[in-house]
Amino acid sequence: MNVMVDAKAVRTGELLDVSEGGPAPKRIIAGFGFWIFLLSDIVMFSALFASYAVLAKASAGGPTGAQLFDLRNAAMETTFLLLSSYSCGLMSLAINSRHTLGTSFGAVVTFLLGAAFLNLELREFQDMIAVGASPQRSAFLSAFFTLVGCHGLHVAIGLAWLVLMMVQLSIRGFRQVVVRRLHCFSLFWHALDIIWVLIFTIVYLMGVLP
């Protein structure tokens, strides 16, 4: 038995019912913790979606989604993000093969597509604010900027994370800890894509309906 058992408990027969397998591998503990983080993020976005659904019509006489949203711009953002998810998947395959060039190429393409998405989103925010559709104009716009801006902030954090991982990969190679972190990044990036598809559908497509 790999734990110290109190001598008194042994004498009285109160033996502890413990596993002899020891603690779980760090790979499992880290994976479990990361899934907890992703689930907490999904809960947060669920609350933001619910708030937006309630406030979507509360424009207070200001501009509505049908007047503000540019579906062509949103479609381009969606295309960039979905393509980045595909390149991120190819990067994961290269990681499994321990292919340095393939991993780097997938990371660069993912970063560029993610940066292009973020650039379009920031330009959209600037254009809206320029015509007076700022977050404080109405409850609808507050909910919109909070939901879409929170997703954009996650994308920005993901891009910084990807750069950090490429630095680690160049210094430490395909060590177990680096591979584990790269796979965690891949999960994070795919989760952002799923959330964006919901934003595109609920906010933009439904927002332009009369």
Side-chain angles (χ1 to χ4, degrees):
M1 184 174 292
N2 60 355
V3 296
M4 295 184 63
V5 181
D6 186 81
K8 184 178 180 182
V10 174
R11 287 196 298 274
T12 57
E14 298 173 358
L15 294 175
L16 298 175
D17 184 16
V18 296
S19 169
E20 296 185 358
K26 190 173 182 180
R27 172 179 59 83
I28 295 178
I29 296 174
F32 181 74
F34 193 74
W35 274 107
I36 295 292
F37 163 72
L38 283 183
L39 290 174
S40 66
D41 235 23
I42 290 172
V43 169
M44 181 192 69
F45 273 105
S46 298
L48 294 179
F49 272 113
S51 300
Y52 178 82
V54 171
L55 302 172
K57 302 298 181 184
S59 60
T64 64
Q67 296 169 315
L68 293 171
F69 296 156
D70 180 359
L71 280 186
R72 187 172 54 182
N73 186 73
M76 288 177 63
E77 291 176 82
T78 305
T79 302
F80 285 147
L81 210 54
L82 292 181
L83 287 176
S84 75
S85 187
Y86 179 72
S87 63
C88 187
L90 294 179
M91 184 185 73
S92 295
L93 294 177
I95 293 168
N96 292 335
S97 305
R98 303 296 191 267
H99 195 288
T100 304
L101 182 59
T103 303
S104 300
F105 179 75
V108 169
V109 174
T110 301
F111 180 88
L112 292 177
L113 290 170
F117 165 85
L118 204 57
N119 179 55
L120 284 180
E121 189 167 79
L122 290 175
R123 285 174 53 188
E124 179 188 25
F125 286 174
Q126 289 176 347
D127 292 343
M128 291 174 66
I129 293 173
V131 297
S134 55
Q136 64 269 27
R137 176 63 183 82
S138 66
F140 153 65
L141 287 169
S142 297
F144 169 81
F145 276 98
T146 302
L147 173 59
V148 182
C150 187
H151 177 270
L153 178 61
H154 277 68
V155 173
I157 292 172
L159 293 178
W161 183 3
L162 183 57
V163 171
L164 179 62
M165 290 313 305
M166 287 303 100
V167 173
Q168 286 195 7
L169 183 64
S170 64
I171 296 174
R172 309 177 69 178
F174 286 104
R175 291 190 182 181
Q176 189 175 5
V177 62
V178 176
V179 170
R180 183 171 62 244
R181 289 169 181 169
L182 283 169
H183 284 311
C184 286
F185 166 79
S186 181
L187 283 174
F188 176 76
W189 198 257
H190 293 312
L192 290 183
D193 283 357
I194 294 172
I195 293 170
W196 175 258
V197 170
L198 294 175
I199 291 176
F200 180 67
T201 304
I202 296 174
V203 175
Y204 289 98
L205 292 182
M206 296 179 68
V208 298
L209 293 176

